[in-house]
Amino acid sequence: MFAEFGYGVLVVSFIVAIYSGVTAVYGAANKSPALVESARRAMLLTFPLISLSAAVLIYLLINNHFEVAFVYEVTSRSMPTYLKITAWWGGQAGSLVFWSWLLAVFTSAVTLRKWDRDIEFLPWVITVSAVTLIFFLGMSVFFENPFTRFWLVGGNVEPSMFAPANATVFTPQDGQGLNPLLRHPGMVIHPPLLYLGFVSFVIPYAFAMAALITGRTDDRWIRISRRWSLWAWLFLSFGLVLGGRWAYDVLGWGGYWGWDPVEIAAFMPWLTGTAFLHSVMIQEKRGLLKHWNMILVILTYALVIFGTFLTRSGVLSSVHAFANSPIGPFFMGYVTLTLVVSVALVIWRWPILRSETEMKSMLSREALFLLNNLLFMSILVVCFWGVIFPLISELFTGQKVTVGPPFYERATAPLFSALLFLMAIAPLSAWGHSTIQTLGRAIWKSAIAALVVTVTLFFTYTQIPGALIGFFLVALALFATLHEFWRGARARQKAQNENFFTAISRLMGRNRRRYGGYIIHISMALMAIGILGIEIFQKETQGTLSQGEQLNIAGYAIEYRELASWDSQGEGVNYTRAVLDVYENGIYLGQLNPRIDYYFDSQQNMTIPGLRSTLRDDLYVLLVDWQPVSNLGATFKVYVNPLVNWLWIGSLLFLFGIIFAAWPEPDEAEEPARVARSVSQTSAAD
Amino acid sequence: MNITFNKKPLITYYALRVTYFALLLIALTFTTTTAFAQDNLPTDDEVNAIAQQLYCPVCENTPLDVCPTEACRQWRELIRLQLSQGMTEAEIKQYFVDNYGARVLAEPPRTGLNWLVYILPPAIILLGSFFLFRSFQEWTRPKVASADTGGGRSEASSPEKDDYVARLEEELKNRK
């Protein structure tokens, strides 16, 4: 009953989305505001409809309706209610409905904004959003229906939406339960954030397409897109960071990023999105690179769909890709179609996207931004090729290969280093024109400070050349950016006669984007310290200890005290927990309790490290194995991860920086004037 | 993680394992003391040093040293036996490639089609850099017809805010 109702509502929302898209196109073609309004209202209607369908699904999840295949796959009786709700996005079919629901949230929000200054975009923004929504809803309706039930037909259990002839509903006693890895709080919120990031990139794309179709290619679309992109970027970044932290906490390999194809699938739209956030400034300030910005937005959208395809189609199988399904060709077809149509539109509108001014100097801010874009695109090429090469190899030679961390690290390390260097010098260069002399004058103090830091590190910390280069670049970027804050505040202090702190807060408040960007740059440098630490200086050891025995690593000693194993029937989990004493150079520091949780319903383990975290390093201990009689011994793996905490500190600052930059400012008063100017420009172009 | 075993390699593996144990026992009988043999048994760290360069042959994208499955635990023990037999790192890696295919390596071996994975990205990046460099040259080449003095647009586009930034930058310049 409930399942049919939920499915019925899903089908209705699918039809409403089709109506909305078709009516919007028809309304725009016939210049009929009434039809466009109808399309807009239909689009608004998709949100309550999909919400209703999702509510039914959640009802089924909470109330143990195991006759529904999806409910059986992702929940079990022993799971607490909140996990049953979050199981909505813990499996393939549910997560696609979740995607559609988020998209409906965003498209509803965008259709509710004030359209008076850009009403010509409205039908096309609706169309593009509707097409995306139709695609995702279509997948749920035709391929990955979360309301499919089990039926007993002549002694066999078959999953089907509607009752086969002579069949009765089959209800299993208990569900399989959510993969324990997905029960971690980090994993509960990591997918929604990634999806939010993915979905919110649809909106800038919709505006870009609207601008191309209508021919209104002034920077109106870019001003609207920029704000949406920044929020999309916030969610995506937040999702990536949480994913890293989750991996560190539960995957039990002492790291945060394994260059797994599914991690890269989420990283690729982030790369193009980041490139876009930089190059968009060139278009706003200098009227250059309009083609390129269009291409970046299109690429980001395509990579969002491609990323979802990689994770959802089962084309890769890795820790994240918990699904195999027949939706692959459907996805590939859609990505190809949107790419072809988008690129055709760009080519069609090529002439009116010409730059308004010219590039003056290779050291100008805009030229350095272009270099930044080149670097982001290069990292994208490495990532994209690394992800798809195994598929190509399997397709053409039948040979399965792995493209793992060594490949990515070797290829991207110089690119990331170059980005750090650019991060140090680009903010110091001027729009339009800069020379070696002006840049040199702006940076020499920071460079000397960075050199002093590097020499100090050489004598006190490390002699590894790669690490020293890395630390030099980090220090250079940090000092140069901090120096920018200092100079700006000093200048304002003089000009406005304010004290230093008032000056710096007003300076930042009045230039949110600029200083938000600088905060992000500082956070990137801090994160780089953590990455250098763990990549270059990580130490590990493993050993089997009897009670009272010690394992030594990097000045630490861990001593095995005891181990206990017990069942928690209520939770359906068996816990095995070791007690270790930790010493550093003979001084007692405290206890660590690495454990292994075994989930009965899904018959899977989760390895929880014992973690002692300081700004200098993390001591990360895993319980690998143990003897049935605990005093016979247990095996531990110990990692020392120097400086890794700076990665998390940088991440927090990073999120603060994005929110600071994206925080809505009061609507600028000069906007109408700009529109008037751009309208005259558009008509001139026509 | 559901792991389905390919039967053949496992059988081969068990056969090998028995052989290795037999060899090990024979070796032990010929050594003077068992303590000596124990000293020679490779440590977990020595095993992991090799295992971390290999990928679990059945679960994709999981390095062998951190893979928690029973199968991987046994493969690590196999590496330990092979090390105690005096096999080199290269020989052990080759053994895994021969038995489970190139996918156990962290990177594709540099042969045949696999070269593409190493060549294509730098080629595209170089091409991109070249293209960008040429575009720069074109953009910065002095043009007779160009009357635009540059930078004009920013003042025109958002007067209030950018004026402030311009003033600020002017101020910064004066301080130099």
Side-chain angles (χ1 to χ4, degrees), chain A residues 255-426:
Chain A
Y256 56 94
W257 180 261
W259 293 103
D260 183 280
V262 180
E263 291 167 345
I264 298 171
F267 188 47
M268 288 193 291
W270 187 88
L271 288 170
T272 48
T274 313
F276 175 71
L277 285 175
H278 286 94
S279 78
V280 76
M281 285 186 256
I282 314 179
Q283 179 164 349
E284 281 184 65
K285 296 277 181 195
R286 306 272 292 129
L288 297 164
L289 295 181
K290 294 180 176 183
H291 299 120
W292 180 235
N293 283 325
M294 281 288 174
I295 291 168
L296 279 179
V297 170
I298 293 166
L299 259 183
T300 308
Y301 178 80
L303 287 171
V304 161
I305 307 289
F306 183 69
T308 319
F309 159 71
L310 284 181
T311 50
R312 296 277 140 233
S313 66
V315 64
L316 317 155
S317 29
S318 66
V319 278
H320 296 71
F322 42 91
N324 279 296
S325 88
I327 55 182
F330 196 49
F331 254 111
M332 272 328 269
Y334 183 71
V335 172
T336 316
L337 184 77
T338 48
L339 262 183
V340 168
V341 171
S342 313
V343 171
L345 280 171
V346 172
I347 293 171
W348 176 46
R349 291 298 192 185
W350 196 264
I352 63 166
L353 287 169
R354 253 197 310 270
S355 297
E356 293 167 32
T357 54
E358 276 166 356
M359 194 81 52
K360 288 285 178 255
S361 128
M362 291 219 199
L363 287 170
S364 62
R365 177 87 60 91
E366 53 269 38
L368 294 179
F369 270 174
L370 264 186
L371 215 54
N372 143 306
N373 270 228
L374 176 72
L375 290 169
F376 275 112
M377 289 300 109
S378 302
I379 298 172
L380 176 70
V381 166
V382 171
C383 289
F384 183 80
W385 189 234
V387 166
I388 64 160
F389 182 75
L391 311 180
I392 292 177
S393 169
E394 202 180 344
L395 200 63
F396 288 101
T397 65
Q399 185 195 35
K400 273 196 146 209
V401 292
T402 306
V403 179
F407 170 80
Y408 295 105
E409 282 163 9
R410 199 175 44 234
T412 57
L415 299 170
F416 280 120
S417 307
L419 272 177
L420 269 176
F421 182 66
L422 267 189
M423 214 167 80
I425 63 164

Side-chain angles (χ1 to χ4, degrees), chain A residues 571-589:
Chain A
E571 297 170 283
V573 184
N574 169 274
Y575 294 102
T576 305
R577 179 173 170 274
V579 180
L580 300 164
D581 285 340
V582 179
Y583 299 88
E584 187 182 11
N585 301 322
I587 299 160
Y588 177 72
L589 294 179

Side-chain angles (χ1 to χ4, degrees), chain A residues 637-671:
Chain A
K637 186 161 196 174
V638 188
Y639 292 93
V640 174
N641 295 332
L643 304 172
V644 71
N645 242 321
W646 292 97
L647 179 63
W648 313 120
I649 292 169
S651 305
L652 288 177
L653 187 66
F654 177 52
L655 299 175
F656 170 74
I658 310 178
I659 294 172
F660 185 86
W663 200 258
E665 286 174 86
D667 212 6
E668 298 109 301
E670 76 272 24
E671 287 254 320

Side-chain angles (χ1 to χ4, degrees), chain A residues 219 223 252-253 260-261 283-287 289 317-319 356-362 365 367 370-371 374 378 381-382 385 389 392-393 396-397 399-407 410 415 441 445 487-488 490-492 494-496 507 510-511 514-515 540-544 604 625 635 637 639 665 670 674 677, chain B residues 1-2 43-45 48 52 55 59-62 65-66 68 73 76 80 101-111 113-122 124-125 128-129 132-133 136-137 139-141 143 146 148-162 164-165 167-169 171-172 175-176:
Chain A
D219 40 9
R223 277 174 195 277
W253 39 265
D260 183 280
Q283 179 164 349
E284 281 184 65
K285 296 277 181 195
R286 306 272 292 129
L289 295 181
S317 29
S318 66
V319 278
E356 293 167 32
T357 54
E358 276 166 356
M359 194 81 52
K360 288 285 178 255
S361 128
M362 291 219 199
R365 177 87 60 91
L370 264 186
L371 215 54
L374 176 72
S378 302
V381 166
V382 171
W385 189 234
F389 182 75
I392 292 177
S393 169
F396 288 101
T397 65
Q399 185 195 35
K400 273 196 146 209
V401 292
T402 306
V403 179
F407 170 80
R410 199 175 44 234
L415 299 170
R441 265 207 305 275
K445 286 180 190 160
R487 288 199 304 182
R490 292 290 293 184
R492 195 184 152 101
K494 275 191 180 173
Q496 310 277 337
L507 178 78
R510 292 193 60 175
N511 297 275
R514 168 184 280 225
Y515 287 97
E540 63 168 272
T541 186
Q542 181 178 319
T544 303
Q604 281 166 315
D625 202 0
T635 307
K637 186 161 196 174
Y639 292 93
E665 286 174 86
E670 76 272 24
R674 195 183 301 131
R677 182 183 66 93
Chain B
M1 221 172 295
N2 287 324
T43 64
D44 285 349
D45 287 343
N48 282 337
Q52 68 185 204
Y55 271 71
C59 29
E60 267 159 90
N61 293 305
T62 312
D65 64 325
V66 293
R73 208 180 61 78
R76 288 194 290 268
R80 196 189 307 272
R103 57 178 294 191
V104 298
L105 298 174
E107 285 186 288
R110 288 167 168 74
T111 52
L113 182 80
N114 290 339
W115 274 108
L116 267 183
V117 78
Y118 301 100
I119 289 168
L120 207 73
I124 294 179
I125 293 168
S129 316
L132 188 67
F133 182 70
F136 267 139
Q137 281 189 326
W139 285 326
T140 51
R141 188 180 304 144
K143 282 193 190 117
S146 169
D148 181 25
T149 48
R153 183 185 150 90
S154 59
E155 281 89 356
S157 61
S158 49
E160 207 257 333
K161 231 165 115 188
D162 284 338
Y164 174 73
V165 173
R167 267 213 319 279
L168 186 65
E169 277 174 352
E171 183 72 32
L172 294 174
R175 286 187 64 242
K176 286 284 131 193

